[in-house]
Amino acid sequence: MGFRGRWGTRAVLALTMSALAGSAWAEQAGGASPAAQQEPRRGGTLTAIIQPEPVILTAAINTAAPTGVVTGSIFDGLVDYDANLNPVPALAESWETSADGKTLTLHLRKGVKWHDGKPFTSADVKWTLEQVWKKIHPRNQATFAKVTSVDTPDDTTVVLNLSEPSVAILSSLNSNGAQVLPKHLYEGTDILNNPHNNKPVGTGPFVFKEWSRGNYIVLERNPDYWAKGKPYLDRIVYRVIPDAAARSAALEKGEVQYAVLSPVPLKDAERLAKLPNLRVTTQGYEWLSPWLFADFNVERPQLKDPKVRQALAQAIDRNTISKVVWFGFAKPADSPIPSTLTAFHDTSGITYPFDPKKAEALLDEAGYKRGADGVRFTLDIDYIPYGDDFKRTAEYLKQALKRIGVDANVRSQDTAAYTKRIYGDRDFDIAITWFAAFSDPQVGVNRAYGSGPIGKNIPWTNGSGYRNPQVDALIAATQGEADPKKRIQLFKDLQKVVLTDLPTLPLVELKFFTVEAANLKHPQPTGDQVYGSFRDFWFDDAKAADAKPADTKSN
Amino acid sequence: MTVFEISAPAAPAPRARDGLLLRLLRQPSAAVGLTLLVLIIAMAASANLVFPDDPLDMVTQPFLWPGEDAAYPLGTDMLGRDIASGIFHGARVSLLIGAVATLVSLVIGVGTGALSGYYGGRLDAVLMRVTELFQTIPPFLFALAIVAILQPSIPTITVAIGITAWPSLARLVRAEVLKLRHGELVQASIALGASDLRIIVLHILPNTLAPVIVSASILVASAILTESSLAFLGLGDPNVVSWGGMVGAGREVLRTDWYVATIPGLAIVTAVLALNLLGDGLNDALNPKEAAR
C-alpha cells in the first residue's frame, strides 16, 4: 500500500536524476579553472544577498550564520581552510604544536593593520581569547577550555599553554570559529554592548561602511590590506531580500551576483543552474558539514525504550527525505558524524535500513501493539521553523510513522518557542533540527550528546535528554586526547554507543548551495567559503564590473 | 439552510410568499453563487467517499502534472500528494472554519449589538468603546498575532478569526436595534409587560435578520480567505490539508510547477466568489422594497 508499493525508490531516483541532468551542476561548480588562467581585473561593485538580516556584525559574540557571512570579509581568520579542511595561512603565517601537544604557537603576519590604522598584534589575540572566546563565544568556551594561559613573547607570536592536548583548536581558527577583535576598542568596555559590534573594525579585505537596517550593508575596499593588490573589488553591497521569489528574480536579472546558504527554493535552484548567466555550486560548505536529525525525547514513556526508537528509525526512508523532501540537496545520513568528516565517520555496521515490517515487529515486541483503531501510540513532532524544507520533513515523518501505526501530530511555532520547548521546557516527543558538525566532531557533534546542558535552555545542545556516563566519559576523553589515531577511535566508540541507543536519529546530510553570477571569478572556493571573504573575487567582464548596483539608496 | 424559513417574517411584502429560494434563483448571479456553493458543499460532504485515503499521504511520484496520469487528474504536489484529494478534503476544512468562525462572530457581534442598542446609556458607551478598540486593530494582523501566540491548530485558527471579525456585525445590529427600540412593536410589548430578554429575542432580533444574514455570508467568505492567508504564511494547521496551506506549500515551486499553487487558489476564488454572489442575491431577495417590485 501507499508509496512503497506504488512508488518504488528506483522510480524516485530516476526522476530526480533526470531532473538534474542537463543542469550542469558538476561542470559549473566552482568555475575555478578558467579564472586561474586569466589576470584578475580590478574594480566593480559586487551585490550579494544576506538572508536573514544579521542581528549583530561581530561573529565572536554571535555565531549565527548571517553574521558569519558578512563578517567573513571584514575580519580575517587566523587561518582559512582549504577544500580538504586543512588550515592555510591567513593572519597566522605558520604554527606549531609541541611534542607533548600542550603548547600551540602561532606566528602572526607582520605589518597587519586594523581598519582604524592601529597595528594588529599578539596582544589582540591574547585578549580576545581570554575575554571573548573563553567567556562569551557559544562554541569556543568548550573548544578553548584547555587553554590555561596565553604568552605573547613578541608582537607577532602567540603561545597557547594547554592543560591537556587540544586538537580541535586548529580546526576552529578561521574568521567564524575564532574572530579576533581589536583590543584597543574593546578593552575595559561592556563587550556585549560595545558599539563596534555593529560597526565592526577588522583587518580584512573590506572595511565596514554603512548598515541601513532592513535594506543593505555596504563594505568598501581596504586600500591598506596586507595582501598587496587585493582585494580586486571596490565595494560589496549586501542586500536584505526577505522574499525567496524576489531573491530568485534578483539573481536571475543580474541585480545580485552572489548569494549563499541556499538562497532560493530548492526547486528554483535547478532552473537557475540552467541559465547561462548564473552558476550554482555546493562547494564552500565543507567546514560546516551540516546534518539534519530527529531528537527523540528519551524521557517520554513511549520513547524511553531504545527498541522503540530503533523501530521508528526503520520506518523512515532517508532516501525519500533526501530525494523528494530536499529535492536532492541532501544525502542520507547514517551517523551523527557526517561522511564529509571522512576520518571520523564510522557506523560500525549499525545501520537502520528502511524496513517498515521490521519496525512493526519491533514495536510489537516492545509491547506497543496496534489498538482497535490501528494506532499503537501517539506523539508530537516539532520542527525548526527555518523554511518549508523543514516543515516538509516533519510532514514526511508524520506520514511514515502513520504507516507503522504511530499517530503523529505536527506542531509549528517560531524559533524562540521551538528552542525553549526543546532545550528548556523539554515538552516534546520528536524534534527535527540541524547542526553544523564542523571539521572536528568535538566542536559540532559532541554537543548533541553530552549530558551537561540538558534542560538548561541552551539552544543547539543535547535536545534528546540522553544521559549516559560512558558517553560523557568518551566526550571528555576526545577533548584531551593528543594522539589523532586514538582520538579517532574514541569518536568511533562514541558513534557505536549513540547509534545503538539512538537518542537522536540522523536523517540526512544537508547540501547548501551558492548561486553566483557566471562572470564573477574566484579561485577554488575554500572549505569555509560561506563564512570566508571576497579577497580573491573579481568580475571578468568590464561592463559588469563598472555597472553600479541597483541603486542602494532608493530601496 | 434553515435560515430561509426564519427570515420569512422579515419581509411583509406580498411577493415574500414566493419563498426565498425562488426569489434567489430568479437572480442569475445569486443562482450561480448558490449552485457553486452547493457544489463545494457536495465536495466536502463526499470527500471521504471519493477519496477515502488520507489526503496527506504521499501516494505516487511528486510533480505529476494535471492530466499526466488519469489516476491523479489534478496531478500531485512536491511530496507526491494527490491534489484532487487535497481539494476535496480541503473544502471541508475551509467550510468548517468559515462556518464556525462566522458563528463565533455572530454570537459576539449580535449579542454586543443587541445589548448595546437596546439598553443604551453607559452599557452602550462601554460596549461601543470595546468594539472600537477591536476595530482599530487590523483584523488580519490581530488574527495572525493570536494564532502565533497560541499554536496554529484548527480550533485556535477558528477562534482567532471569529473574535477578530465581529465588530462590524455589532455596529450593524446596534443600528438596527436602535431603529426598532422605539418603534410601536417594542413599545407595545413593553406595555404588555414582556421581559427584556423576550423582547430582544422574539421581537427585535428577527427583524434585524436580513442585513445580518447578508453580512454573515460575506463573513464566511472572508473567514475562508483569512484562513487561507494564515496558512499561506505558514500559520496553518500542518496536520490537516487546507486550500491556503496548499497554496503556501506550492509557492516555493511557483516558477517551475505553477499548478501546485494555482489549483487550490482557484478553489479559494470559487468559494469566495460563490459566497459573495450569494450575499448580493440575499441582499436583494431579503429587501422588501426589491421584493415588492
Side-chain angles (χ1 to χ4, degrees), chain A residues 1-3 6-7 15 243 248-249 252 265-268 271 320 324-325 327 382-383 388-389 391-392 395-396 398-399 402-403 408-413 421, chain B residues 53-54 56-63 71-72 78-81 148 151-152 231 234-240 245 248-257:
Chain A
M1 275 307 293
F3 77 50
R6 284 147 88 178
W7 171 32
L15 185 93
D243 182 66
S248 197
E252 197 175 345
L266 303 179
K267 197 78 196 310
D268 247 11
R271 189 176 60 84
T320 303
V324 178
V325 177
F327 297 130
D382 295 279
Y383 61 92
D388 273 8
D389 318 312
K391 185 180 180 195
R392 281 201 305 271
E395 288 172 350
Y396 167 74
K398 172 187 162 80
Q399 296 304 319
K402 198 182 122 193
R403 268 163 231 285
N409 174 50
V410 178
R411 294 190 293 201
S412 9
Q413 57 235 306
R421 180 189 284 287
Chain B
D53 291 332
D54 184 347
L56 292 172
D57 265 342
M58 300 155 74
V59 288
T60 183
Q61 69 181 67
F63 295 118
Y72 307 100
M78 69 287 286
L79 286 184
R81 296 176 291 208
Q151 232 171 40
L235 286 171
D237 186 339
N239 298 290
V240 295
R251 181 175 58 162
E252 270 222 333
V253 295
L254 196 61
R255 293 294 296 271
T256 42
D257 302 270

Side-chain angles (χ1 to χ4, degrees), chain A residues 499 506 541:
Chain A
L499 281 172
D541 142 14

Side-chain angles (χ1 to χ4, degrees), chain B residues 196-262:
Chain B
D196 288 350
L197 184 70
R198 191 181 165 84
I199 296 174
I200 294 175
V201 174
L202 286 184
H203 302 305
I204 295 185
L205 286 186
N207 286 300
T208 64
L209 262 183
V212 168
I213 286 173
V214 173
S215 17
S217 70
I218 307 296
L219 269 185
V220 176
S222 79
I224 290 176
L225 267 184
T226 308
E227 188 276 331
S228 303
S229 316
L230 286 173
F232 181 75
L233 294 177
L235 286 171
D237 186 339
N239 298 290
V240 295
V241 58
S242 87
W243 292 342
M246 291 171 80
V247 177
R251 181 175 58 162
E252 270 222 333
V253 295
L254 196 61
R255 293 294 296 271
T256 42
D257 302 270
W258 52 267
Y259 68 92
V260 178
T262 308

Side-chain angles (χ1 to χ4, degrees), chain B residues 89-249:
Chain B
H89 286 268
R92 308 183 110 188
V93 175
S94 291
L95 287 181
L96 178 80
I97 289 180
V100 177
T102 304
L103 204 67
V104 172
S105 330
L106 276 176
V107 170
I108 306 176
V110 173
T112 310
L115 290 177
S116 196
Y118 186 81
Y119 290 106
R122 202 169 286 172
L123 182 67
D124 180 34
V126 171
L127 287 177
M128 280 304 109
R129 291 308 82 76
V130 173
T131 310
E132 277 158 15
L133 188 73
F134 272 79
Q135 277 184 308
T136 52
I137 311 170
F140 180 68
L141 292 183
F142 196 10
L144 196 74
I146 295 174
V147 174
I149 293 166
L150 310 168
Q151 232 171 40
S153 69
I154 292 294
T156 57
I157 293 168
T158 312
V159 168
I161 298 173
I163 64 173
T164 51
W166 61 270
S168 61
L169 259 182
R171 292 220 156 253
L172 180 78
V173 172
R174 175 175 174 271
E176 292 290 317
V177 173
L178 277 178
K179 259 196 282 180
L180 297 164
R181 174 71 176 86
H182 303 288
E184 283 164 14
L185 175 69
V186 172
Q187 295 304 324
S189 303
I190 293 173
L192 285 169
S195 70
D196 288 350
L197 184 70
R198 191 181 165 84
I199 296 174
I200 294 175
V201 174
L202 286 184
H203 302 305
I204 295 185
L205 286 186
N207 286 300
T208 64
L209 262 183
V212 168
I213 286 173
V214 173
S215 17
S217 70
I218 307 296
L219 269 185
V220 176
S222 79
I224 290 176
L225 267 184
T226 308
E227 188 276 331
S228 303
S229 316
L230 286 173
F232 181 75
L233 294 177
L235 286 171
D237 186 339
N239 298 290
V240 295
V241 58
S242 87
W243 292 342
M246 291 171 80
V247 177

Side-chain angles (χ1 to χ4, degrees), chain A residues 3 82 150 257 287 332 365 402 446 454 472 500 522 545:
Chain A
F3 77 50
D82 66 16
V150 182
Q257 300 92 33
W287 186 67
E365 264 177 56
K402 198 182 122 193
N446 282 357
I454 295 173
D472 283 341
T500 309
H522 53 77

Side-chain angles (χ1 to χ4, degrees), chain A residues 142-212:
Chain A
T143 311
F144 288 85
K146 308 284 185 218
V147 178
T148 49
S149 64
V150 182
D151 297 332
T152 51
D154 60 50
D155 273 359
T156 55
T157 309
V158 183
V159 182
L160 274 60
N161 299 307
L162 308 163
S163 60
E164 282 179 68
S166 189
V167 180
I169 289 180
L170 263 182
S171 69
S172 197
L173 280 182
N174 60 358
S175 164
N176 189 256
Q179 197 162 77
V180 185
L181 298 180
K183 179 186 176 188
H184 64 278
L185 295 177
Y186 277 86
E187 194 178 28
T189 66
D190 174 2
I191 297 169
L192 288 177
N193 294 309
N194 189 304
H196 290 289
N197 290 341
N198 288 332
K199 282 184 283 182
V201 173
T203 61
F206 291 90
V207 181
F208 171 80
K209 190 81 187 163
E210 186 190 1
W211 180 5
S212 166

